[in-house]
Amino acid sequence: MSLLEVKKLTKNFGGLAAVSMVSMELYPNELVGLIGPNGAGKTTLFNLLTGVYQPTEGSIDLEIKGKKQSLIGKKTYNITDMGLGRTFQNIRLFKNLTVLDNVLIGMHAKKKVGALAGIIRTPHFYQSEEKMKKDAIALLTIFNLEDKVAELAKNLPYGEQRRLEIVRALATKPKILFLDEPAAGMNPQETADLTALIRQIQRDFEITILLIEHDMSLVMNVCERIYVLEYGRMIAHGTPAEIKNNQAVIKAYLGGD
């Protein structure tokens, strides 16, 4: 059974179809790429899948405990709670908060302490807060950020800000992680480190990853399957080898004749 099933998804902005009749499936514990030229509709598709936009038509169903549940009409925080996490093309951290606080904000999505316990500060509340801090530091340690817990997010180097955004998304304990151009603005060494990191995340956290990326070497190296968008439509789907030799993809994305 697929973990996420998208059927005939369409989003119109006025007379423009930014995404048109897109269908795709994601399965448990796989790493999938989503590529296409600038303006192809990749980020719009992410925004539809995560509740930022509501579709004009089509369906998005997530498997939860053996049953399909629709994501249509759900708020972004509902979708996060259901198990979809994401990063953004332009880094969106709480830049005036510490590294630790950024991760704790992600963890609060799964916090089970009630509002009353938070107001009167019960022992259970303090125990929960302490456990979250320990879990956050343990997560930061995996990504070599444990020595930066007290630093403001805005003071981190660019590559570390990218890593922190991924850590915050993982703190929500997602079933599916959407990465929107995580290598944007990175130098070759940072991109190589990110490639290894994405592999590690998929392996160690046993989650599904959908990756938007323009760095074709990264996509070809880490993805098991690849979907290709052009002008909001899905024009190809296959393994990296199949996509590399697909004439429609070569023409639309790789500059062929």
Side-chain angles (χ1 to χ4, degrees):
M1 178 183 286
S2 60
L3 183 56
L4 186 73
E5 185 176 35
V6 178
K7 289 184 178 179
K8 298 181 178 180
L9 200 64
T10 297
K11 178 61 177 177
N12 295 328
F13 293 101
L16 174 66
V19 170
S20 180
M21 301 295 286
V22 166
S23 297
M24 64 189 301
E25 291 183 308
L26 299 178
Y27 293 90
N29 304 329
E30 67 171 350
L31 212 166
V32 179
L34 177 65
I35 66 172
N38 287 328
K42 304 182 296 298
T43 295
T44 300
L45 178 57
F46 264 28
N47 286 337
L48 290 166
L49 298 179
T50 55
V52 177
Y53 298 148
Q54 290 300 314
T56 304
E57 61 180 278
S59 63
I60 309 169
D61 294 307
L62 179 68
E63 184 274 322
I64 299 178
K65 295 181 179 180
K67 295 182 179 180
K68 294 289 187 179
Q69 292 196 25
S70 175
L71 301 186
I72 304 299
K74 297 287 195 302
K75 302 292 186 182
T76 53
Y77 54 83
N78 295 137
I79 291 173
T80 298
D81 195 47
M82 292 170 75
L84 274 64
R86 71 170 295 180
T87 65
F88 294 85
Q89 185 175 354
N90 298 312
I91 297 174
R92 295 188 188 179
L93 295 170
F94 297 99
K95 294 193 174 183
N96 289 312
L97 296 181
T98 66
V99 167
L100 180 60
D101 284 340
N102 268 272
V103 181
L104 289 173
I105 286 170
M107 288 185 165
H108 272 278
K110 298 294 184 181
K111 190 176 181 181
K112 301 304 180 184
V113 175
L116 180 60
I119 293 170
I120 66 177
R121 296 295 198 266
T122 64
H124 180 47
F125 170 82
Y126 285 112
Q127 290 168 4
S128 175
E129 289 290 306
E130 192 59 33
K131 184 179 186 304
M132 279 202 303
K133 286 182 181 179
K134 289 180 180 179
D135 290 346
I137 292 171
L139 193 54
L140 287 164
T141 299
I142 295 172
F143 295 88
N144 299 318
L145 290 170
E146 70 278 9
D147 60 337
K148 305 291 179 69
V149 292
E151 288 196 28
L152 296 182
K154 67 182 180 181
N155 294 332
L156 294 180
Y158 182 84
E160 290 184 351
Q161 288 191 30
R162 280 284 181 194
R163 272 191 282 153
L164 176 58
E165 192 180 33
I166 294 172
V167 174
R168 187 182 60 188
L170 289 171
T172 67
K173 297 184 178 180
K175 299 176 181 179
I176 303 174
L177 177 62
F178 298 106
L179 300 177
D180 193 348
E181 295 193 34
M186 289 188 174
N187 62 41
Q189 183 56 55
E190 288 173 331
T191 300
D193 292 342
L194 178 67
T195 301
L197 180 62
I198 291 172
R199 285 199 184 104
Q200 177 190 347
I201 292 168
Q202 197 274 332
R203 180 183 67 245
D204 294 352
F205 289 85
E206 296 183 342
I207 62 176
T208 298
I209 296 176
L210 181 61
L211 169 71
I212 291 177
E213 188 50 65
H214 282 297
D215 188 313
M216 294 302 294
S217 62
L218 191 159
V219 173
M220 295 297 174
N221 282 333
V222 302
C223 294
E224 302 161 49
R225 299 187 293 121
I226 299 171
Y227 287 98
V228 187
L229 280 177
E230 183 189 25
Y231 298 119
R233 292 183 175 274
M234 199 72 74
I235 63 168
H237 165 238
T239 65
E242 290 169 340
I243 294 301
K244 191 181 294 184
N245 294 300
N246 185 297
Q247 291 303 309
V249 176
I250 292 171
K251 181 178 180 180
Y253 188 70
L254 302 179
D257 296 325

